[in-house]
Amino acid sequence: MAMPSGWRGILGFHYGIVQAPLGPDISGPELVAAVANAGAIGLLRLPDWPAPDHVRELIRKTRSLTSKPFGAAIVLAFPHEENLRVVLEEKLAVLQVYWGDFPNHRVQEAHRAGVKVLHQVGSLEEAAKAKEAGVDGIIVQGREAGGHVIGQEGLFPLLPRVVDLVSDSSIPVIAAGGIVDGRGYVAALALGAQGVCLGTRFVATEESFAHPIYKQKLIEMSHTDYTNIFGRARWPDAPQRVLETPFYDEWKNNFPDQETEEDQPIIGHSIIHGVHKDIRRFAGTVPNATATGDIDIMAMYSGQGVGLITEIIPAAQVVKSLVAEAKEVIREKLSGYQ
């Protein structure tokens, strides 16, 4: 494999920057291609149901927009075998997996297809399993992250422990959770990470498939909360970090534990991965660009770094700014400590 030529590149990519997979379909071909063209690692968020033809279509559409390598992500808690098969047949550069076990024989299967495996984890125990499985990289997700959060630990205490765990291997560790700018990137590097993974920052880009109102709220709001009130039926025991919208504030302590979105009225509609869906109140589905109805009361996932996001910008600018800011922090802020 050719050595990465960019600043702190990983896994053969120019840069050590990963665009997190953004559900249900917010990281689609346009965003992933823009990230790939900028030299970073773009990840398509695949459906949570078997849709092999649609997955192939997503991959081919992305390839029509970029000649650079990119990847796809599956959530192991949902049926994924058919979608995974297409990823391997299409020989994508990277497969990101999350929320479940992905043992050595599955990693080997990916490697035989020429696909590298990134496993996102939220605990030291999960990281140990990923190391044992022989993955090509480990994304460490802190509790600061937006969307579904698998672990209970903050990024800063957990990250160096995982770095120490894999120190006798060549597995790069990638930091995720609350990172928005070059300062966060440098902090992660100081703790031993070789790369960073950003979600919320990439939702708030021109190419993301998020609804304009969702993007605007990421600019306007700065508070998030860790909760389990959204999507209890579809994805049980999967807490999430959300924007503290007025709707959320009103309901966060008033939605009974035993109730789920299945008991709730329909508040809107959306086309998700080509399928028409009703969106019920308290569904765990963020509004994509096709969403109609009462957008303001839909779930809006966000990491704790959202207060640092002040404008919607092109995805390439996110990548370039991260690198430029990180270099500047190291040069201007840290050089005097040597």
Side-chain angles (χ1 to χ4, degrees), residues 1 11-13 19 21 27-29 32-33 36 40-47 51-74 80 82-97 102 106-118 136:
M1 185 184 79
L11 301 178
F13 287 79
Q19 160 252 306
S27 56
V32 170
I41 303 176
L43 297 174
L44 289 166
R45 174 62 157 81
L46 300 189
D53 293 342
H54 181 72
V55 169
R56 208 177 296 276
E57 191 182 314
L58 284 174
I59 292 168
R60 290 184 176 170
K61 176 151 192 213
T62 310
R63 283 186 171 144
S64 76
L65 300 171
T66 183
S67 58
K68 299 282 184 69
F70 60 91
I74 58 173
H80 56 269
E82 291 183 46
N83 298 342
L84 173 59
R85 178 174 51 79
V86 175
V87 171
L88 302 189
E89 286 172 1
E90 292 287 336
K91 299 187 183 302
L92 291 189
V94 175
L95 166 69
Q96 193 251 34
V97 294
F102 203 72
R106 304 312 304 264
V107 175
Q108 293 296 332
E109 185 185 3
H111 286 171
R112 283 194 295 275
V115 179
K116 295 187 177 74
V117 178
L118 277 176
D136 301 280

Side-chain angles (χ1 to χ4, degrees), residues 100-176:
D101 289 336
F102 203 72
N104 179 260
H105 72 275
R106 304 312 304 264
V107 175
Q108 293 296 332
E109 185 185 3
H111 286 171
R112 283 194 295 275
V115 179
K116 295 187 177 74
V117 178
L118 277 176
H119 199 138
Q120 180 164 296
V121 305
S123 69
L124 194 65
E125 293 73 22
E126 269 194 296
K129 280 188 188 175
K131 179 188 178 186
E132 187 72 19
V135 300
D136 301 280
I138 296 175
I139 300 174
V140 177
Q141 184 197 45
R143 201 172 185 267
E144 302 91 334
H148 293 91
V149 183
I150 197 168
Q152 288 294 325
E153 297 181 61
L155 178 62
F156 273 30
L158 179 59
L159 177 59
R161 296 174 72 205
V162 176
V163 168
D164 290 347
L165 174 77
V166 301
S167 60
D168 59 349
S169 75
S170 59
I171 299 172
V173 176
I174 298 155

Side-chain angles (χ1 to χ4, degrees), residues 172-196:
V173 176
I174 298 155
I179 299 170
V180 168
D181 60 19
R183 294 171 294 182
Y185 189 178
V186 173
L189 293 174
L191 291 171
Q194 288 179 250
V196 286

